[in-house]
Amino acid sequence: MTGTKTAAKKTVIVTRKLTAAVERRLARDYAPVLNATDEVYAPARIVALAREAKADALLVAATDNVGSEVIEALPASVKAIATFSVGYNHIDIAGCKRRGICVTYTPDVLTDATADLTMLLMLGAARRAAEGERMLRNGEWTGWAPTQLLGTHVTGKILGILGMGRIGRAFAKRARGFDMKIHYANRTRLTPDLEHGAVFHDDAEAMLAVVDILSINCPATPETTRFLDARRIALMKDGAIVVNSARGAIIDDRALIGALRAGKLAAAGLDVFDREPLLDETYRTLPNTFLLPHLGSATVETRDGMGNKCVDNLDAFFAGRAPPDRLV
Ligand code: 8YV
């Protein structure tokens, strides 16, 4: 009888190495094809693995290119794709819809970790943390000085949040603890209970002109791609700071680098880059950048939560229930 049960387990291609707790759960309830070495699969590899295993589902991450060439070539056995991310710009959603493939994502569980990290980016950039750390590590600190590494005061300043979804709102909550005045631009105005007095701009460009710090928290879509370009940076206050924990594609790198070099912007805190893991080399050489390698959701609790959400969604789908976090 055990054999029958094992045969009934659904086969899932898991493209990245996940936390031990999540891989244990997958091994218990599914027939997972795990990625022990955690190499990033090329699109053709994902298709080949799905074909070889006659996979029922894929569990992918934002580092995978699950574009139209993958979706069109997947075997008909693949009925569901669970992405280990809240962003889904790496997946051909329209293609999945056409092929009747269910797609789920991982909202909520990574909200707090990403909002915390956005605070780190803002403080790191404003208070010149990377420069200070480098000075210490390089043995260049000769002692305290009244004018050493003076940064930008954050308390009481105007914070502009582009994209007031779950993460934007969680960041606003934290920033209110710093007595910051919150402005936001969003497709739609929030209800007062979610707005908490934040100032809504239906024109994001109008918001740029009034903020001391801009935080990018919106998804990457055709409308937001390269939103922050040279023309819009010119609308910002001199000495403003830019923070991005969403997607690199929302920033025009050359424009941001030009503004950081020229001193138009005081600093930038960046956790995401356009062609990760590549980044425009100039970011690494500028003193006024605070850079992290896409750590937004990188806590044990959050990565367990994301993995468990993927499995919860697959469980529901294969049990014939509505997956709680279904995109299509
Ligand atoms: C993830 C993210 O770490 O969820 C997202 O969209 O950007 C990050 O939290 C990463 O994308 C994992 O797939």
Side-chain angles (χ1 to χ4, degrees):
M1 283 305 106
T2 318
T4 316
K5 199 173 173 212
T6 307
K9 282 183 174 179
K10 300 292 182 190
T11 301
V12 184
I13 308 296
V14 183
T15 61
R16 300 300 307 265
K17 185 170 172 53
L18 303 179
T19 62
V22 174
E23 292 200 344
R24 268 197 307 274
R25 181 173 165 193
L26 279 164
R28 188 192 64 197
D29 299 338
Y30 290 86
V33 179
L34 300 176
N35 179 353
T37 58
D38 202 26
E39 68 191 283
V40 178
Y41 296 149
R45 182 84 190 279
I46 297 176
V47 172
L49 286 169
R51 284 190 182 158
E52 274 161 34
K54 295 189 178 52
D56 299 289
L58 309 181
L59 197 167
V60 303
T63 46
D64 297 312
N65 174 353
V66 199
S68 55
E69 87 237 51
V70 169
I71 299 305
E72 279 158 26
L74 285 175
S77 59
V78 174
K79 303 288 186 220
I81 299 177
T83 184
F84 186 88
S85 60
V86 71
Y88 47 86
N89 54 311
H90 54 294
I91 302 176
D92 173 18
I93 297 289
C96 289
K97 200 170 181 180
R98 262 196 309 279
R99 290 206 55 183
I101 298 172
C102 163
V103 182
T104 68
Y105 71 142
T106 62
D108 302 316
V109 282
L110 47 69
T111 299
D112 287 331
T114 309
D116 290 348
L117 185 118
T118 310
M119 184 54 84
L120 174 62
L121 289 177
M122 179 174 75
L123 293 175
R127 300 301 301 274
R128 304 176 64 176
E131 285 172 273
E133 223 236 3
R134 269 194 302 272
M135 183 188 270
L136 273 179
R137 283 186 190 273
N138 295 340
E140 290 162 359
W141 191 39
T142 52
W144 183 90
T147 56
Q148 189 174 63
L149 287 180
L150 302 187
T152 301
H153 202 68
V154 161
T155 303
K157 290 285 170 66
I158 301 178
L159 169 65
I161 299 181
L162 182 70
M164 201 64 152
R166 301 175 192 82
I167 296 169
R169 295 199 301 273
F171 181 47
K173 182 178 171 187
R174 286 153 175 74
R176 280 196 294 275
F178 282 66
D179 291 334
M180 298 187 83
K181 297 174 186 71
I182 316 296
H183 288 232
Y184 73 100
N186 202 42
R187 269 177 310 209
T188 52
R189 184 170 182 171
L190 302 180
T191 50
D193 57 316
L194 294 178
E195 212 171 46
H196 294 291
V199 179
F200 173 62
H201 295 261
D202 59 4
D203 174 8
E205 290 189 5
M207 181 180 79
L208 293 181
V210 302
V211 302
D212 299 303
I213 292 154
L214 172 71
S215 176
I216 298 175
N217 295 101
C218 58
T221 64
E223 294 75 45
T224 62
T225 297
R226 311 274 173 270
F227 167 83
L228 196 65
D229 58 9
R231 186 182 65 78
R232 292 195 175 109
I233 290 173
L235 301 175
M236 296 180 72
K237 288 183 188 172
D238 291 345
I241 289 172
V242 170
V243 167
N244 188 6
S245 60
R247 285 290 181 267
I250 300 163
I251 288 178
D252 174 342
D253 289 328
R254 296 317 304 171
L256 179 59
I257 285 165
L260 289 167
R261 251 199 188 128
K264 160 74 187 168
L265 295 175
L270 306 174
D271 185 47
V272 287
F273 302 91
D274 195 16
R275 290 180 306 124
E276 295 175 10
L278 303 176
L279 63 155
D280 192 310
E281 286 299 296
T282 318
Y283 281 132
R284 301 203 292 129
T285 63
L286 287 172
N288 49 351
T289 53
F290 180 75
L291 309 173
L292 293 174
H294 202 145
L295 294 181
S297 62
T299 70
V300 175
E301 293 88 340
T302 303
R303 291 285 162 84
D304 279 347
M306 291 164 73
N308 281 322
K309 222 174 210 312
C310 290
V311 185
D312 289 345
N313 279 296
L314 292 175
D315 286 355
F317 179 77
F318 287 117
R321 289 181 276 113
D325 310 293
R326 186 172 191 157
L327 287 165
V328 288

